[in-house]
Amino acid sequence: MSLPEFSLTDKIAFVTGAGRGLGRAGALALARAGAHVALVSRTRSQLEETASMVERLGRKALVAVADIRKTEEIEAAVRTTVEAFGRIDILFNNAGTNVRKPVVEVTDEDWHTIIDTNVKGIFLVARAVARQMIAQKSGRIINMSSMSAVSAERDKVVYASSKGAVSQFTKGLALELAPYGITVNAIAPGYMMTPLVKGYLEADAERTKRILQRIALGRIGQPEEIGGALVFLASDASRYITGATIAIDGGWTAS
């Protein structure tokens, strides 16, 4: 069965944090749907691995090494992408980080690490890409939020605050960019079996048991399971959706 509204054939996607984890999974999902992908992160070797995977799917990949916390590096990555492909149709604003500690143990450096990446970085990337999309009068922006934006857990106070900011930023940006034909939405994953989450779970079997008991579907998600919602929000199938955050959490926030 053909579903042309979900096709991303020859669209140009700009993906941050694309070297591993959910960023890599998202880049590959967009490529499978037909998009060429500009891959952005600080680590060239990881990006080159992702690029090879994208190219094996028959799509073009561009590697752009950049720190999303630095305006000049992000703006250079956007320029390079536009020079190579002529436009940016999709932004998967994914890059993020976390430091798990009780709030009384969080250092100033920890705070800045999380907020500068998860809030400032999301803003800097969205601003740079939005300028290009405004010129085109079209585009799809998908920000990376989290179930933590609406569901509290111990040792994640600063992270949860940063993701709450992302969800609210998504709503405000959706209003600002709607007149230009640009939609802005977010996805909010729960526990996904990335290398970082795998290590966290393996460190404490009892904690893992408690987490699984809270997930309605009774299992940890796989990174590729963000792909359906991501492709949907990047495609014409979602053209009347903006300002929304879609949970991909196995039912965590339903409880």
Side-chain angles (χ1 to χ4, degrees), residues 148-215:
S148 296
V150 296
S151 178
E153 291 180 83
R154 291 181 177 87
D155 301 341
K156 293 176 70 175
V157 172
V158 180
Y159 177 79
S161 300
S162 74
K163 292 303 184 178
V166 170
S167 289
Q168 192 62 24
F169 175 70
T170 297
K171 292 180 181 181
L173 191 61
L175 294 179
E176 289 198 14
L177 298 185
Y180 303 99
I182 302 164
T183 64
V184 186
N185 295 290
I187 59 173
Y191 280 97
M192 296 287 177
M193 196 62 80
T194 63
L196 290 177
V197 169
K198 186 173 186 291
Y200 177 71
L201 296 175
E202 289 177 347
D204 189 329
E206 284 302 312
R207 179 174 58 204
T208 299
K209 182 179 178 181
R210 290 193 301 270
I211 289 169
L212 289 171
Q213 288 172 341
R214 188 168 171 182
I215 300 171

Side-chain angles (χ1 to χ4, degrees), residues 19-205:
R20 60 179 181 171
L22 298 184
R24 174 177 285 178
L28 294 176
L30 294 170
R32 289 188 189 98
H36 307 296
V37 191
L39 305 163
V40 184
S41 83
R42 293 179 294 171
T43 307
R44 179 174 292 277
S45 60
Q46 293 177 347
L47 291 178
E48 289 176 346
E49 289 178 5
T50 306
S52 295
M53 296 175 184
V54 169
E55 289 166 352
R56 285 199 294 271
L57 293 169
R59 314 314 296 168
K60 297 175 184 175
L62 181 150
V63 168
V65 177
D67 186 336
I68 67 164
R69 300 169 296 182
K70 296 180 179 178
T71 298
E72 64 279 8
E73 293 189 14
I74 282 301
E75 291 184 348
V78 169
R79 284 195 303 272
T80 298
T81 301
V82 175
E83 288 168 2
F85 294 117
R87 60 190 296 111
I88 298 174
D89 300 298
I90 301 155
L91 166 61
F92 181 29
N93 207 357
N94 160 76
T97 193
N98 189 20
V99 179
R100 290 178 180 269
K101 289 182 181 179
V103 70
V104 295
E105 297 177 12
V106 172
T107 65
D108 289 2
E109 182 180 358
D110 294 333
W111 168 272
H112 287 296
T113 294
I114 297 170
I115 298 300
D116 286 358
T117 304
N118 296 1
V119 183
K120 178 183 176 183
I122 289 280
F123 159 69
L124 292 179
V125 175
R127 182 180 66 180
V129 173
R131 288 170 176 157
Q132 173 62 31
M133 289 181 172
I134 287 170
Q136 300 167 184
K137 292 187 168 50
S138 66
R140 300 279 188 267
I141 294 175
I142 303 101
N143 295 322
M144 179 60 88
S145 185
S146 167
M147 69 179 187
S148 296
V150 296
S151 178
E153 291 180 83
R154 291 181 177 87
D155 301 341
K156 293 176 70 175
V157 172
V158 180
Y159 177 79
S161 300
S162 74
K163 292 303 184 178
V166 170
S167 289
Q168 192 62 24
F169 175 70
T170 297
K171 292 180 181 181
L173 191 61
L175 294 179
E176 289 198 14
L177 298 185
Y180 303 99
I182 302 164
T183 64
V184 186
N185 295 290
I187 59 173
Y191 280 97
M192 296 287 177
M193 196 62 80
T194 63
L196 290 177
V197 169
K198 186 173 186 291
Y200 177 71
L201 296 175
E202 289 177 347
D204 189 329

Side-chain angles (χ1 to χ4, degrees), residues 218-240:
R219 65 177 178 83
I220 305 299
Q222 296 300 316
E224 58 269 21
E225 290 181 297
I226 69 166
L230 178 62
V231 169
F232 169 62
L233 291 174
S235 74
D236 286 344
S238 66
R239 59 186 174 272
Y240 199 59

